[in-house]
Amino acid sequence: MNLKRLTPENFTPDMQPQLTALFKQLNATISLQPIEKLLQKDGPLILVICEIDGKVAGMASMATYRVISGYKGMVEDVVVHENHRGKGIGRALMEKLVQEATRLHLTEILLFSGHHRTAAIALYTSLGFIVKNSGLYTLKLNS
């Protein structure tokens, strides 16, 4: 298992179709953005992947942002390939994101998870995340 943060320097074009196929296991109705365009040195997106035998087996991302209440990270798009679930990859990806957040001196990490994703919720709570009593509202914009 090889865990790494993707950067413009270590991203290869053959990773895009692998990440696209993996993302479809999380949400088949949303298109994955071109990864190469999202990666910036010291940019707001942290994307970590797990490779097994040279193939992407899992990914997780965190967008960082500064607001009056602190320097925060929002975890998004955590997915492990269905053939590799239950092997600790999701935990390793999340721990890598927490390491990156600590390195960057973030004050808080947030994430949302559907109530039906019991395995994911068990992972997040085991890492110390707690559920907040709040509502999530969304407004889709055509852009």
Side-chain angles (χ1 to χ4, degrees):
M1 176 178 357
N2 179 32
L3 227 61
K4 65 182 173 185
R5 178 179 178 175
L6 281 185
T7 65
E9 294 78 29
N10 67 12
F11 177 78
T12 59
D14 66 313
M15 289 178 179
Q16 183 71 45
Q18 292 180 59
L19 292 167
T20 299
L22 181 61
F23 187 75
K24 286 187 183 296
Q25 292 182 24
L26 179 65
N27 190 328
T29 63
I30 298 176
S31 297
L32 187 68
Q33 298 293 310
I35 299 299
E36 189 172 26
K37 291 182 179 181
L38 298 173
L39 298 176
Q40 302 169 9
K41 185 168 177 63
D42 300 320
L45 178 69
I46 297 168
L47 178 58
V48 295
I49 64 167
C50 174
E51 291 178 308
I52 296 178
D53 298 327
K55 300 288 183 194
V56 178
M59 68 182 224
S61 65
M62 181 169 57
T64 61
Y65 61 99
R66 293 181 188 275
V67 290
I68 294 170
S69 59
Y71 185 24
K72 301 182 181 192
M74 175 62 75
V75 174
E76 297 273 352
D77 308 326
V78 180
V79 60
V80 174
H81 192 285
E82 60 192 0
N83 294 339
H84 295 288
R85 292 181 186 155
K87 299 178 181 178
I89 294 171
R91 176 173 296 282
L93 290 166
M94 288 299 299
E95 288 173 346
K96 181 71 172 165
L97 286 180
V98 171
Q99 285 176 352
E100 291 291 324
T102 301
R103 182 182 66 79
L104 293 169
H105 306 288
L106 269 61
T107 56
E108 186 176 23
I109 301 173
L110 304 123
L111 62 83
F112 294 102
S113 186
H115 298 295
H116 65 285
R117 299 188 67 221
T118 55
I121 292 168
L123 168 62
Y124 302 144
T125 57
S126 75
L127 291 168
F129 287 82
I130 57 171
V131 67
K132 289 180 81 171
N133 188 13
S134 63
L136 171 64
Y137 298 85
T138 181
L139 173 63
K140 294 284 186 179
L141 302 174
N142 296 328
S143 53

